[in-house]
């Protein structure tokens, strides 16, 4: 009796597993969220930011797949590209050349900006930073930069990784002028509670959770990483006007599967609110 039951389970699960590994994990969704920014100059109304997160190059992501993602981003004509951490998982030294080649394909008029993730520190953040430097990607490690258009500007800020205990919000706030709105890049989404308490940021873009990678019908996901329990995927109104967008990311970690949780490339449109 037991063997037929086992056989039935295998027959039932195998197609689902095949779909999760070979189809959904490569079925990239181009999402188009809108974020409304108080005080944003009308010159930036309609400004488009492509967010890439959780590449995990030394897991199931290959050079060819990441180049394909770069091509999809290019088709969307974003003004800016932001990468919110976890370029690799554990073994950056084995994928340095592939990562460098693929990242060099990402380009936008206002550049490519990034922050580190927890896995980047697990694998060697200095090696990841060397790759970013080689391809001209600007890292914001507790730092900020001004984005300008037609004499107007807003600030893009980045907090270093929270899980690796490298986040220094005090240093970032000292550097951040107060004459225009600011958008924060932070790998871990639950940092939004801390960011909102400062009443300085209009939005935060994060990744880290992968949306759970596997979303079961009705019950949802069974797992959330540290600093990724409160906000899992999509858009949230946090507090003090802070809007959080959590991307499901493009890669996988631990297991190369996604189910009911497609990899995501958000093309975020900024909308100006001036009242």
């Amino acid at each position: 009796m037991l063997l037929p039951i086992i056989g039935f389970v295998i027959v039932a699960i195998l197609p689902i597993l095949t779909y999760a590994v070979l189809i959904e994990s490569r079925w990239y969704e181009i999402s188009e969220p809108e974020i409304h920014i108080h005080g944003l100059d009308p010159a930036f109304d309609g400004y488009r930011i492509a967010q890439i997160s959780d590449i995990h190059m030394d897991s199931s992501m290959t050079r060819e797949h990441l180049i394909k993602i770069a091509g999809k981003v290019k088709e969307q004509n974003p003004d800016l590209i932001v990468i919110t951490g976890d370029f690799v998982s554990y073994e950056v030294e084995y994928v340095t050349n592939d990562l460098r080649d693929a990242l060099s394909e990402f380009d936008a008029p206002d550049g490519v900006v990034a922050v580190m993730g927890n896995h980047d520190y697990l694998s060697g953040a200095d090696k990841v930073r060397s790759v970013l430097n080689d391809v001209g990607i600007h890292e914001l490690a507790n730092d900020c930069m001004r984005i300008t258009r037609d004499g107007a500007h807003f600030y893009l800020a980045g907090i270093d990784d929270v899980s690796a205990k490298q986040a220094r919000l005090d240093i970032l706030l000292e550097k951040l002028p107060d004459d225009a709105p600011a958008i924060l890049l932070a790998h871990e989404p639950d940092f939004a509670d801390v960011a909102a308490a400062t009443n300085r940021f209009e939005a935060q873009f994060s990744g880290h959770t992968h949306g759970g990678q596997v979303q079961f019908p009705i019950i949802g996901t069974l797992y959330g990483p540290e600093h990724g329990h409160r906000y899992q995927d999509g858009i949230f109104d946090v507090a003090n006007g802070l809007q959080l967008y959590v991307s499901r990311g493009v890669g996988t970690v631990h297991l190369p599967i996604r189910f009911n949780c497609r990899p995501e490339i958000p093309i975020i449109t900024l909308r100006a609110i001036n009242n």
Side-chain angles (χ1 to χ4, degrees), residues 11-227:
V11 170
I13 291 178
L14 189 58
I16 296 174
L17 187 60
T18 300
Y19 165 81
V21 173
L22 299 180
I23 298 176
E24 186 164 320
S25 65
R26 304 300 184 196
W27 187 14
Y28 305 108
E29 178 184 358
I30 305 293
S31 61
E32 297 183 301
E34 290 191 350
I35 298 290
H36 296 80
I37 306 292
H38 286 276
L40 185 69
D41 192 282
F44 288 105
D45 190 68
Y47 191 86
R48 290 161 60 82
I49 302 175
Q51 182 191 2
I52 301 298
S53 198
D54 300 278
I55 294 169
H56 289 287
M57 190 73 173
D58 59 335
S59 293
S60 62
M61 183 66 68
T62 65
R63 173 183 177 275
E64 290 72 26
H65 279 116
L66 189 52
I67 289 175
K68 180 180 180 180
I69 290 169
K72 289 181 176 292
V73 171
K74 185 176 182 180
E75 291 172 357
Q76 301 302 313
N77 297 311
D79 298 291
L80 174 72
I81 299 172
V82 299
I83 305 178
T84 46
D86 279 2
F87 291 85
V88 293
S89 299
Y90 301 107
E91 300 177 338
V92 61
E93 60 270 21
Y94 297 112
V95 296
T96 298
N97 291 335
D98 285 348
L99 182 62
R100 183 184 296 109
D101 289 348
L103 288 178
S104 68
E105 298 293 321
F106 289 88
D107 184 48
D110 287 337
V112 184
V113 183
V115 292
M116 291 288 117
N118 57 308
H119 278 275
D120 298 317
Y121 275 97
L122 287 172
S123 63
D126 288 342
K127 293 178 181 177
V128 176
R129 287 188 172 108
S130 178
V131 172
L132 301 190
N133 184 67
D134 288 346
V135 299
I137 294 177
H138 183 71
E139 182 196 359
L140 291 176
N142 305 314
D143 206 350
C144 60
M145 63 185 293
R146 180 181 295 190
I147 305 295
T148 62
R149 171 177 283 186
D150 299 333
H153 66 275
F154 72 88
Y155 293 100
L156 187 66
I159 199 77
D160 208 347
D161 189 65
V162 176
S163 298
K165 297 181 170 36
Q166 299 299 312
R168 289 293 305 273
L169 185 58
D170 56 333
I171 293 175
L172 170 57
L173 290 175
E174 287 180 2
K175 297 176 180 178
L176 182 60
D178 61 2
D179 62 332
I183 295 172
L184 180 66
L185 307 181
H187 179 65
E188 288 91 347
D190 289 359
F191 189 77
D193 291 331
V194 178
T198 69
N199 202 25
R200 179 61 188 92
F201 302 100
E202 293 293 322
Q204 176 180 312
F205 301 156
S206 299
H208 186 51
T209 66
H210 302 195
Q213 277 192 203
V214 174
Q215 291 274 4
F216 294 99
I218 302 175
I219 63 175
T221 185
L222 300 180
Y223 169 76
E226 184 182 17
H227 306 297

